[in-house]
Amino acid sequence: MKTSVTPAPAKKVGFTEATIQLFERTIPDPFVLAILITAVVGALALIFGPHASVDRLVTGWYKGFFGILTFAFQITLVLVTGHAFAHAPPVQRVFKGLISIARTPVQAAALTFLLVAIASFFNWGLGLVVSALLAREVAKRMKVDFAWIVAAGFSGWVVWASGISSSIALAQSTAGSAMNVVQKVTGTVLPFGDTVFTRFNLVPTVAMMIVMPFVLAWLKPSDENAVVLDTTLHPDPPVRQKPQGPLSFAKWLEHSWIGSAFIGVLGVALLVYTRYEHVAFSGVNAVIFVMFIAGIVLHGYPLAYADAVKNAAKQTGSMMLQYPLYGGIMGMMDATGLPDVISHFFIAISNAHTLPFWSYICSLIVTFFIPSGGGHWAVQGPFVVPAAVALHASVPATTMAVAMGEQVSNMMQPFWAAPVVAMAGIGVQRVLGFTVVTFLVGLVIYGAAMLFLV
């Protein structure tokens, strides 16, 4: 007797799952992608560059490859110092104490998002680490879908490039920086008062902080579908302990508070000196300096801070590989005049009012291929700034439009989600399934700001 078997219904693939599968199948590792982009830009420069020649292309690539190293190391230190600061015991106690206020999963998600957003506004490296820290802390306190709470934390990172550690805003505020395209084109430096602390930047950032907690509550999976954290498979990293018993002089010095206190006093003295002697203290170096001083003091003794920096350095490998290549791309474009050609395209489709918006749309697309703010700016900055000058558009708004597109598209970019989910102990696909909604919300809010607030 034959038995009939009813075929199982085809599994429906939702929008978020389909989007993630598309990126996984079509976008290679960011370093491989940087090599591919180098080849594509090189070919375009030879074909369309008004000053194109093989000699100019190769020498421009070499010059740009090394010309970006100072900026690359500075941005790497922004990540490292923020990462190390986040692992200081007092900082972790503060964030754990704040998250303990939440009594329900929805409250925890909202508070996690807001705390990460505030941290990311001040230092994007700090925000990344805090998002993983808070997600794990919430998962240990209550039953909650772990991917959803990790996504709540990572969504808070959506404001990082609008903050004071934004690699794009920092570069334009640092005189003489190799990445200060605005200064190269216009001869002026953009202070934070013209970029970060403006209506067109702060209003959408605050709007994201208001809207996203409600969106996260709507996204919450039902309790029966929740995938909780298994702390036996993903235990917390061990806490460093001071050695017990008699110590040699070297060991005593390594674990003494004296070295950290000495650096702290030097740092405070310099800050006081800059205040009263009007010494320049701004840009990327100021952010690094403050995070370094605060980190070494809060860790309590020098060796603890050194270990925290070593752990943070593990996250910088991709940046060190990619930045020289993006500097080389910038060098090829400069040497052949390709930015002038692209800027003329933007001039043709834009006017003084709409250029920031079209720069934002372009940035959303570029970020999928170049997921690093500084590397992104090395490619897009050289053609949007000249276009802004030619159209008499707002140079600060056009600059921040690139930063806004970067941070919004990061919500669908596995490159930056990867270290967060690694620290949290979960796969990236399910997290991005939630943050695609953050991407859509940010797409509308920041896009509207570029159209109506500039």
Side-chain angles (χ1 to χ4, degrees), residues 5-29:
V5 178
T6 304
K11 183 180 179 181
K12 291 184 178 180
V13 179
F15 170 75
T16 56
E17 292 83 1
T19 305
I20 293 166
Q21 290 176 16
L22 175 65
F23 286 130
E24 286 183 329
R25 292 173 181 174
T26 58
I27 298 181
D29 179 86

Side-chain angles (χ1 to χ4, degrees), residues 203-293:
V203 169
T205 299
V206 172
M208 287 295 293
M209 292 186 182
I210 294 172
V211 171
M212 277 308 302
F214 295 98
V215 173
L216 290 166
W218 172 66
L219 289 174
K220 179 184 176 296
S222 60
D223 290 341
E224 57 268 22
N225 293 326
V227 180
V228 300
L229 172 68
D230 187 345
T231 54
T232 61
L233 295 177
H234 304 284
D236 290 334
V239 179
R240 181 182 179 86
Q241 301 290 338
K242 286 186 178 182
Q244 301 297 316
L247 301 177
S248 65
F249 175 74
K251 287 293 182 184
W252 174 83
L253 202 58
E254 289 173 349
H255 294 85
S256 171
W257 59 269
I258 295 175
S260 294
F262 173 70
I263 294 296
V265 170
L266 278 182
V268 172
L270 178 67
L271 292 175
V272 172
Y273 183 76
T274 58
R275 170 75 175 174
Y276 291 101
E277 297 298 327
H278 304 292
V279 175
F281 187 74
S282 62
V284 63
N285 290 341
V287 172
I288 296 169
F289 183 80
V290 170
M291 294 303 294
F292 171 77
I293 297 298

Side-chain angles (χ1 to χ4, degrees), residues 119-135:
S120 301
F121 189 87
F122 288 98
N123 183 285
W124 57 268
L126 172 64
L128 278 178
V129 178
V130 166
S131 65
L133 166 72
L134 293 181

Side-chain angles (χ1 to χ4, degrees), residues 358-395:
W358 287 118
S359 298
Y360 170 71
I361 297 299
C362 179
S363 178
L364 290 168
I365 298 169
V366 172
T367 302
F368 287 122
F369 301 98
I370 308 176
S372 163
H376 179 157
W377 179 249
V379 175
Q380 190 174 352
F383 61 80
V384 295
V385 174
V389 173
L391 288 171
H392 302 289
S394 169
V395 173

